[in-house]
Amino acid sequence: MGDHGMTRSGDHGGDSQDEISSALFVFSHRPLHDKHRSMGDTTEVSQIDIVPTVSLLLGLPVPFSNLGSVIPDLFELSQPQYALLPGELQADMSLIDALHLNALQVGKYLEAYTTLNKEFPYQKYQQLSQQLYEATDMIRTIRNQTASREFNATLMRNAKKCLSSYLAEVKAMCQMTWARFDIIAIVGGLLLTLLTIAAGILLANCHYTDDSKGLQVSKQWFVFSTLFSTAVLLVLFNILPSLSAISICVAMAFPVTVFVMSRVGAKGRSVNFSSFLTVFFLFITSVQLLSSFSNSYVVYEDVAVFFLAQISVWVLYLTVLEQRQEPSTANRKKPKLTNFDVMRVCTHYKFGFFGMCLCLSILLRLGHNFWRCREEQWTCELSSLVQPLSAITDSNIHKNLRYFTAVTCVCAVAFLFRSWFKHFGNLNGFRLGIISTRYFLPTMSVLVSLHWAFICLPQRVLDKLPGWQHVLLPLLVYGLFLGCVLAVVVDPLCIFMVVKQERAALQLEKGKIQIPQVYNHLKLQWHEHFQQSTADRNPLVYGLATVYSSSLLVLLGSASIVLIMLLGDGFACSCLLLLAAMFLYLELDASLKNAEYEVSDQLHTSWWSVIVWQLISTHGFYTTGHQTTFPTINWEAAFTGYHGDYASNVVPAVLLVLNTYASQVLFSLATPLLLIWPFSQGRFLAWLGFPSKHKMKESDVAAQKRGEFIIQDYSEEFIFALSQLYMKATTVQAVKLLASMAAAGLHRRHLMVWKVFAPKFIFEGVGFVVGSIVLLIACAYVVRVHTSLNKWVKNLSNNEIG
């Protein structure tokens, strides 16, 4: 038999008649059908009918959860136990016995299922139960008549008809209950998601200085399109229920069309479709959306996302270099050609830009070594890095090398974060956030390293240790992480202020004793110190130029170490590569933004920047050892730090979600850096001579020296830009969710819907929820930092320096 058919072009998996039909050929060495009887009129057989047929032919019990019915033509054979019956009735009785065994098995399954779930219609279930009882009573009567040599052919035909009808109606009832799809709910969900995306685009493209009248008109058009499209949807489904596909297209396309039309006349900044970068990355997004309807793309999405991320980096490189021109040298004398200078080439901005893009591509490429394999990826070879350290049975040299590599990576994460804080002056002082960065991050990395060493002990040694020692180290890591979060929430500013004081120099008079002069000078200095007001002192603040990013990096660094522990030692290098790619792209994006806009105009984030950011985040989902399939879920993460005796499923669910969506958590937590990073970073290409579109003024130079502290001068604009960034990032994630929803809805009858499309939709849905929540927390925390800094500045201006 074939499990499916195919079209003339070789396609399969759809719901056409050619694809759902296939041939069935039965061969047996012993007879299965009485040669004196003609074959029945069976024209089609369901695949589930194979199970009871083969089971009874082999003399085995029918599986408990079977809902198929035996193939009648294969049981119409005279049997010795029916020798008392006439020849024609022997084959009928053989079929009746097979149908009766089949019906009894189905009845027991329905009874057990109904006790646990009340999905079946009560009246229909009672009717079927009565029908089975009547068929059983008829078979009992037939057996009694046969024993007394009385034969009733009409009763046997009625029993056979009753059993066949029972099995057919049970199958129809189960199909109606289980295999039904609410088209209204599916289209309603798609429409709601689409309207939400349209609203996100509308809000994300509003400018802070937009004309309120133009924005109000745009919102009115959007509300009108929402109501009208909903009305069109309901009308089409009630009048033309068979044209569900047309109604879906009309209902989904109309609000988008009206939305675009409404934005044409709106004032203020809108999507710049003439920009090549915007058009290209919209094209990339469209390719992802359309490809999501192909099961081959979903199966090999890891490779496709890696390719899209790589090509995005290099298209960005070529486009930026094409738009940037060297400063005009028409009035300058051309220098004479000299010998090739390696240093001049290496310090050129094109070489630096090329190097940044190349490093980012290499980091993305190295993440390929940590991919897991789907069941459908036959050519994929699982890397040894994916296996946990305790599962390695090779030589101790390989095991030790693997362990020390993982320890080096997790310690490097803590060291690099701590070095960044130290370099920018955010490690001075004794604030709670500074103390947690100074001490908690290194301690967490050491504890994670010890935890990996502990779980690698021989099993006989682990069995002898008390249970609390198995969970002590992970619980300490969780505790330090919660302490770090609590510290930065209570005191989010990682700055240190020193009050400077100008003191008169000591001048000694000649001819007099020097010791009394020194004593009097110190006495005078101490007296002036206590008499001097606070306003007369000049404060020196460390870390003020990176006050926003430093506070956010405290959370990012501590969360990275926790996620590395949950992912396992094999993915420590993967997380380090992912963090390196994240910060390299932040530097690249900040450099381009600094060259594109003036300091006062940098409070916005472009769509293409968010799209590339999400591409790298999706690539990180695969480099952390995950696929959109349930067998690749790392269930062991739910027991990291716990024995498994949970009072509820909340804790294991949280740990499992953090493990599965580690990349989304990290990138969502760091998303506000796309807006903040250019104010203090991204100076490398400018230092190499990267051409800028605007001429640097003295005010711009002074603003750059202030770093992120200049955001205080644009407080309302910053909050507005942060909300726009949230809308853009959430909208890009929602677009992916919409594509998976549409694919699962369109292919609801597809052969691979439960293998490919449904798991993809579930993973995208949970990922969207997790990413949105973490992004909301990150933005709320940035607002908390902004509020605390405003309060600190106000206290400083009011001579209340604390």
PDB file of all heavy atoms in Angstrom, residues 717-739:
ATOM      1  N   GLU A 717      11.183  63.001  24.212  1.00  0.00           N
ATOM      2  CA  GLU A 717      11.489  62.365  22.930  1.00  0.00           C
ATOM      3  C   GLU A 717      12.064  60.962  23.134  1.00  0.00           C
ATOM      4  O   GLU A 717      11.797  60.048  22.351  1.00  0.00           O
ATOM      5  CB  GLU A 717      12.469  63.217  22.128  1.00  0.00           C
ATOM      6  CG  GLU A 717      11.892  64.530  21.617  1.00  0.00           C
ATOM      7  CD  GLU A 717      12.085  65.649  22.629  1.00  0.00           C
ATOM      8  OE1 GLU A 717      12.195  65.328  23.829  1.00  0.00           O
ATOM      9  OE2 GLU A 717      12.101  66.827  22.221  1.00  0.00           O
ATOM     10  N   PHE A 718      12.853  60.783  24.206  1.00  0.00           N
ATOM     11  CA  PHE A 718      13.460  59.482  24.472  1.00  0.00           C
ATOM     12  C   PHE A 718      12.396  58.452  24.834  1.00  0.00           C
ATOM     13  O   PHE A 718      12.428  57.311  24.337  1.00  0.00           O
ATOM     14  CB  PHE A 718      14.480  59.609  25.598  1.00  0.00           C
ATOM     15  CG  PHE A 718      15.040  58.300  26.054  1.00  0.00           C
ATOM     16  CD1 PHE A 718      15.894  57.574  25.237  1.00  0.00           C
ATOM     17  CD2 PHE A 718      14.699  57.773  27.296  1.00  0.00           C
ATOM     18  CE1 PHE A 718      16.404  56.353  25.653  1.00  0.00           C
ATOM     19  CE2 PHE A 718      15.207  56.567  27.724  1.00  0.00           C
ATOM     20  CZ  PHE A 718      16.061  55.854  26.898  1.00  0.00           C
ATOM     21  N   ILE A 719      11.446  58.816  25.677  1.00  0.00           N
ATOM     22  CA  ILE A 719      10.380  57.885  26.041  1.00  0.00           C
ATOM     23  C   ILE A 719       9.549  57.533  24.813  1.00  0.00           C
ATOM     24  O   ILE A 719       9.158  56.367  24.606  1.00  0.00           O
ATOM     25  CB  ILE A 719       9.500  58.485  27.148  1.00  0.00           C
ATOM     26  CG1 ILE A 719      10.336  58.762  28.401  1.00  0.00           C
ATOM     27  CG2 ILE A 719       8.340  57.564  27.469  1.00  0.00           C
ATOM     28  CD1 ILE A 719      10.960  57.534  29.002  1.00  0.00           C
ATOM     29  N   PHE A 720       9.286  58.529  23.975  1.00  0.00           N
ATOM     30  CA  PHE A 720       8.528  58.281  22.750  1.00  0.00           C
ATOM     31  C   PHE A 720       9.302  57.352  21.812  1.00  0.00           C
ATOM     32  O   PHE A 720       8.735  56.423  21.230  1.00  0.00           O
ATOM     33  CB  PHE A 720       8.229  59.607  22.062  1.00  0.00           C
ATOM     34  CG  PHE A 720       7.348  59.485  20.850  1.00  0.00           C
ATOM     35  CD1 PHE A 720       5.978  59.380  20.994  1.00  0.00           C
ATOM     36  CD2 PHE A 720       7.893  59.456  19.578  1.00  0.00           C
ATOM     37  CE1 PHE A 720       5.155  59.251  19.879  1.00  0.00           C
ATOM     38  CE2 PHE A 720       7.087  59.329  18.465  1.00  0.00           C
ATOM     39  CZ  PHE A 720       5.717  59.232  18.612  1.00  0.00           C
ATOM     40  N   ALA A 721      10.603  57.587  21.665  1.00  0.00           N
ATOM     41  CA  ALA A 721      11.421  56.729  20.796  1.00  0.00           C
ATOM     42  C   ALA A 721      11.533  55.318  21.353  1.00  0.00           C
ATOM     43  O   ALA A 721      11.561  54.341  20.598  1.00  0.00           O
ATOM     44  CB  ALA A 721      12.811  57.345  20.629  1.00  0.00           C
ATOM     45  N   LEU A 722      11.585  55.187  22.680  1.00  0.00           N
ATOM     46  CA  LEU A 722      11.646  53.862  23.291  1.00  0.00           C
ATOM     47  C   LEU A 722      10.351  53.088  23.035  1.00  0.00           C
ATOM     48  O   LEU A 722      10.381  51.887  22.743  1.00  0.00           O
ATOM     49  CB  LEU A 722      11.896  54.001  24.791  1.00  0.00           C
ATOM     50  CG  LEU A 722      12.123  52.705  25.570  1.00  0.00           C
ATOM     51  CD1 LEU A 722      13.395  52.016  25.093  1.00  0.00           C
ATOM     52  CD2 LEU A 722      12.216  52.986  27.067  1.00  0.00           C
ATOM     53  N   SER A 723       9.212  53.764  23.118  1.00  0.00           N
ATOM     54  CA  SER A 723       7.940  53.101  22.814  1.00  0.00           C
ATOM     55  C   SER A 723       7.851  52.720  21.343  1.00  0.00           C
ATOM     56  O   SER A 723       7.319  51.663  20.993  1.00  0.00           O
ATOM     57  CB  SER A 723       6.774  54.014  23.202  1.00  0.00           C
ATOM     58  OG  SER A 723       6.786  55.204  22.427  1.00  0.00           O
ATOM     59  N   GLN A 724       8.392  53.559  20.465  1.00  0.00           N
ATOM     60  CA  GLN A 724       8.423  53.210  19.034  1.00  0.00           C
ATOM     61  C   GLN A 724       9.283  51.977  18.783  1.00  0.00           C
ATOM     62  O   GLN A 724       8.926  51.109  17.987  1.00  0.00           O
ATOM     63  CB  GLN A 724       8.955  54.387  18.227  1.00  0.00           C
ATOM     64  CG  GLN A 724       7.924  55.456  17.910  1.00  0.00           C
ATOM     65  CD  GLN A 724       8.447  56.441  16.889  1.00  0.00           C
ATOM     66  OE1 GLN A 724       9.632  56.799  16.896  1.00  0.00           O
ATOM     67  NE2 GLN A 724       7.581  56.900  16.018  1.00  0.00           N
ATOM     68  N   LEU A 725      10.421  51.908  19.460  1.00  0.00           N
ATOM     69  CA  LEU A 725      11.291  50.739  19.313  1.00  0.00           C
ATOM     70  C   LEU A 725      10.579  49.483  19.786  1.00  0.00           C
ATOM     71  O   LEU A 725      10.687  48.419  19.152  1.00  0.00           O
ATOM     72  CB  LEU A 725      12.577  50.957  20.110  1.00  0.00           C
ATOM     73  CG  LEU A 725      13.560  49.776  20.139  1.00  0.00           C
ATOM     74  CD1 LEU A 725      14.028  49.422  18.738  1.00  0.00           C
ATOM     75  CD2 LEU A 725      14.755  50.108  21.035  1.00  0.00           C
ATOM     76  N   TYR A 726       9.844  49.589  20.874  1.00  0.00           N
ATOM     77  CA  TYR A 726       9.075  48.438  21.363  1.00  0.00           C
ATOM     78  C   TYR A 726       8.038  48.010  20.325  1.00  0.00           C
ATOM     79  O   TYR A 726       7.860  46.805  20.072  1.00  0.00           O
ATOM     80  CB  TYR A 726       8.399  48.792  22.683  1.00  0.00           C
ATOM     81  CG  TYR A 726       7.498  47.707  23.197  1.00  0.00           C
ATOM     82  CD1 TYR A 726       8.015  46.618  23.891  1.00  0.00           C
ATOM     83  CD2 TYR A 726       6.119  47.753  22.980  1.00  0.00           C
ATOM     84  CE1 TYR A 726       7.197  45.607  24.357  1.00  0.00           C
ATOM     85  CE2 TYR A 726       5.287  46.749  23.441  1.00  0.00           C
ATOM     86  CZ  TYR A 726       5.831  45.681  24.133  1.00  0.00           C
ATOM     87  OH  TYR A 726       5.009  44.673  24.587  1.00  0.00           O
ATOM     88  N   MET A 727       7.354  48.983  19.713  1.00  0.00           N
ATOM     89  CA  MET A 727       6.345  48.654  18.720  1.00  0.00           C
ATOM     90  C   MET A 727       6.974  48.007  17.489  1.00  0.00           C
ATOM     91  O   MET A 727       6.435  47.042  16.928  1.00  0.00           O
ATOM     92  CB  MET A 727       5.568  49.902  18.317  1.00  0.00           C
ATOM     93  CG  MET A 727       4.764  50.551  19.436  1.00  0.00           C
ATOM     94  SD  MET A 727       3.575  49.437  20.207  1.00  0.00           S
ATOM     95  CE  MET A 727       2.561  49.036  18.795  1.00  0.00           C
ATOM     96  N   LYS A 728       8.126  48.493  17.060  1.00  0.00           N
ATOM     97  CA  LYS A 728       8.782  47.921  15.878  1.00  0.00           C
ATOM     98  C   LYS A 728       9.240  46.494  16.145  1.00  0.00           C
ATOM     99  O   LYS A 728       9.017  45.596  15.313  1.00  0.00           O
ATOM    100  CB  LYS A 728       9.961  48.803  15.474  1.00  0.00           C
ATOM    101  CG  LYS A 728       9.563  50.146  14.884  1.00  0.00           C
ATOM    102  CD  LYS A 728      10.781  50.961  14.495  1.00  0.00           C
ATOM    103  CE  LYS A 728      10.361  52.309  13.900  1.00  0.00           C
ATOM    104  NZ  LYS A 728      11.520  53.148  13.524  1.00  0.00           N
ATOM    105  N   ALA A 729       9.896  46.284  17.295  1.00  0.00           N
ATOM    106  CA  ALA A 729      10.387  44.940  17.595  1.00  0.00           C
ATOM    107  C   ALA A 729       9.231  43.959  17.761  1.00  0.00           C
ATOM    108  O   ALA A 729       9.288  42.817  17.267  1.00  0.00           O
ATOM    109  CB  ALA A 729      11.246  44.975  18.861  1.00  0.00           C
ATOM    110  N   THR A 730       8.180  44.379  18.428  1.00  0.00           N
ATOM    111  CA  THR A 730       7.019  43.505  18.612  1.00  0.00           C
ATOM    112  C   THR A 730       6.320  43.237  17.283  1.00  0.00           C
ATOM    113  O   THR A 730       5.850  42.120  17.035  1.00  0.00           O
ATOM    114  CB  THR A 730       6.038  44.135  19.604  1.00  0.00           C
ATOM    115  OG1 THR A 730       6.728  44.478  20.812  1.00  0.00           O
ATOM    116  CG2 THR A 730       4.918  43.184  19.933  1.00  0.00           C
ATOM    117  N   THR A 731       6.259  44.239  16.423  1.00  0.00           N
ATOM    118  CA  THR A 731       5.606  44.066  15.121  1.00  0.00           C
ATOM    119  C   THR A 731       6.369  43.079  14.255  1.00  0.00           C
ATOM    120  O   THR A 731       5.760  42.227  13.584  1.00  0.00           O
ATOM    121  CB  THR A 731       5.492  45.418  14.412  1.00  0.00           C
ATOM    122  OG1 THR A 731       4.727  46.317  15.217  1.00  0.00           O
ATOM    123  CG2 THR A 731       4.820  45.264  13.066  1.00  0.00           C
ATOM    124  N   VAL A 732       7.692  43.161  14.251  1.00  0.00           N
ATOM    125  CA  VAL A 732       8.492  42.217  13.460  1.00  0.00           C
ATOM    126  C   VAL A 732       8.276  40.797  13.966  1.00  0.00           C
ATOM    127  O   VAL A 732       8.156  39.847  13.174  1.00  0.00           O
ATOM    128  CB  VAL A 732       9.976  42.618  13.509  1.00  0.00           C
ATOM    129  CG1 VAL A 732      10.841  41.567  12.834  1.00  0.00           C
ATOM    130  CG2 VAL A 732      10.189  43.968  12.835  1.00  0.00           C
ATOM    131  N   GLN A 733       8.214  40.612  15.288  1.00  0.00           N
ATOM    132  CA  GLN A 733       7.932  39.288  15.823  1.00  0.00           C
ATOM    133  C   GLN A 733       6.514  38.833  15.468  1.00  0.00           C
ATOM    134  O   GLN A 733       6.284  37.657  15.160  1.00  0.00           O
ATOM    135  CB  GLN A 733       8.099  39.299  17.346  1.00  0.00           C
ATOM    136  CG  GLN A 733       9.526  39.530  17.819  1.00  0.00           C
ATOM    137  CD  GLN A 733       9.631  39.538  19.331  1.00  0.00           C
ATOM    138  OE1 GLN A 733       8.687  39.193  20.042  1.00  0.00           O
ATOM    139  NE2 GLN A 733      10.771  39.948  19.846  1.00  0.00           N
ATOM    140  N   ALA A 734       5.564  39.772  15.490  1.00  0.00           N
ATOM    141  CA  ALA A 734       4.181  39.417  15.171  1.00  0.00           C
ATOM    142  C   ALA A 734       4.025  39.024  13.710  1.00  0.00           C
ATOM    143  O   ALA A 734       3.160  38.198  13.379  1.00  0.00           O
ATOM    144  CB  ALA A 734       3.252  40.589  15.506  1.00  0.00           C
ATOM    145  N   VAL A 735       4.826  39.595  12.837  1.00  0.00           N
ATOM    146  CA  VAL A 735       4.763  39.222  11.419  1.00  0.00           C
ATOM    147  C   VAL A 735       5.158  37.755  11.237  1.00  0.00           C
ATOM    148  O   VAL A 735       4.525  37.004  10.481  1.00  0.00           O
ATOM    149  CB  VAL A 735       5.670  40.154  10.594  1.00  0.00           C
ATOM    150  CG1 VAL A 735       5.850  39.614   9.184  1.00  0.00           C
ATOM    151  CG2 VAL A 735       5.076  41.554  10.530  1.00  0.00           C
ATOM    152  N   LYS A 736       6.195  37.318  11.936  1.00  0.00           N
ATOM    153  CA  LYS A 736       6.577  35.905  11.884  1.00  0.00           C
ATOM    154  C   LYS A 736       5.470  35.021  12.445  1.00  0.00           C
ATOM    155  O   LYS A 736       5.193  33.942  11.911  1.00  0.00           O
ATOM    156  CB  LYS A 736       7.874  35.692  12.667  1.00  0.00           C
ATOM    157  CG  LYS A 736       9.098  36.346  12.067  1.00  0.00           C
ATOM    158  CD  LYS A 736      10.296  36.174  12.957  1.00  0.00           C
ATOM    159  CE  LYS A 736      10.561  34.725  13.248  1.00  0.00           C
ATOM    160  NZ  LYS A 736      11.709  34.539  14.173  1.00  0.00           N
ATOM    161  N   LEU A 737       4.857  35.480  13.529  1.00  0.00           N
ATOM    162  CA  LEU A 737       3.755  34.712  14.111  1.00  0.00           C
ATOM    163  C   LEU A 737       2.586  34.623  13.141  1.00  0.00           C
ATOM    164  O   LEU A 737       1.961  33.556  13.000  1.00  0.00           O
ATOM    165  CB  LEU A 737       3.319  35.365  15.420  1.00  0.00           C
ATOM    166  CG  LEU A 737       2.107  34.742  16.115  1.00  0.00           C
ATOM    167  CD1 LEU A 737       2.393  33.299  16.505  1.00  0.00           C
ATOM    168  CD2 LEU A 737       1.717  35.561  17.342  1.00  0.00           C
ATOM    169  N   LEU A 738       2.277  35.716  12.450  1.00  0.00           N
ATOM    170  CA  LEU A 738       1.190  35.712  11.479  1.00  0.00           C
ATOM    171  C   LEU A 738       1.458  34.715  10.358  1.00  0.00           C
ATOM    172  O   LEU A 738       0.548  34.000   9.910  1.00  0.00           O
ATOM    173  CB  LEU A 738       1.000  37.118  10.904  1.00  0.00           C
ATOM    174  CG  LEU A 738      -0.054  37.264   9.801  1.00  0.00           C
ATOM    175  CD1 LEU A 738      -1.441  36.962  10.353  1.00  0.00           C
ATOM    176  CD2 LEU A 738      -0.012  38.662   9.202  1.00  0.00           C
ATOM    177  N   ALA A 739       2.697  34.651   9.897  1.00  0.00           N
ATOM    178  CA  ALA A 739       3.036  33.714   8.823  1.00  0.00           C
ATOM    179  C   ALA A 739       2.839  32.268   9.276  1.00  0.00           C
ATOM    180  O   ALA A 739       2.288  31.445   8.527  1.00  0.00           O
ATOM    181  CB  ALA A 739       4.483  33.938   8.381  1.00  0.00           C
TER     182      ALA A 739
END
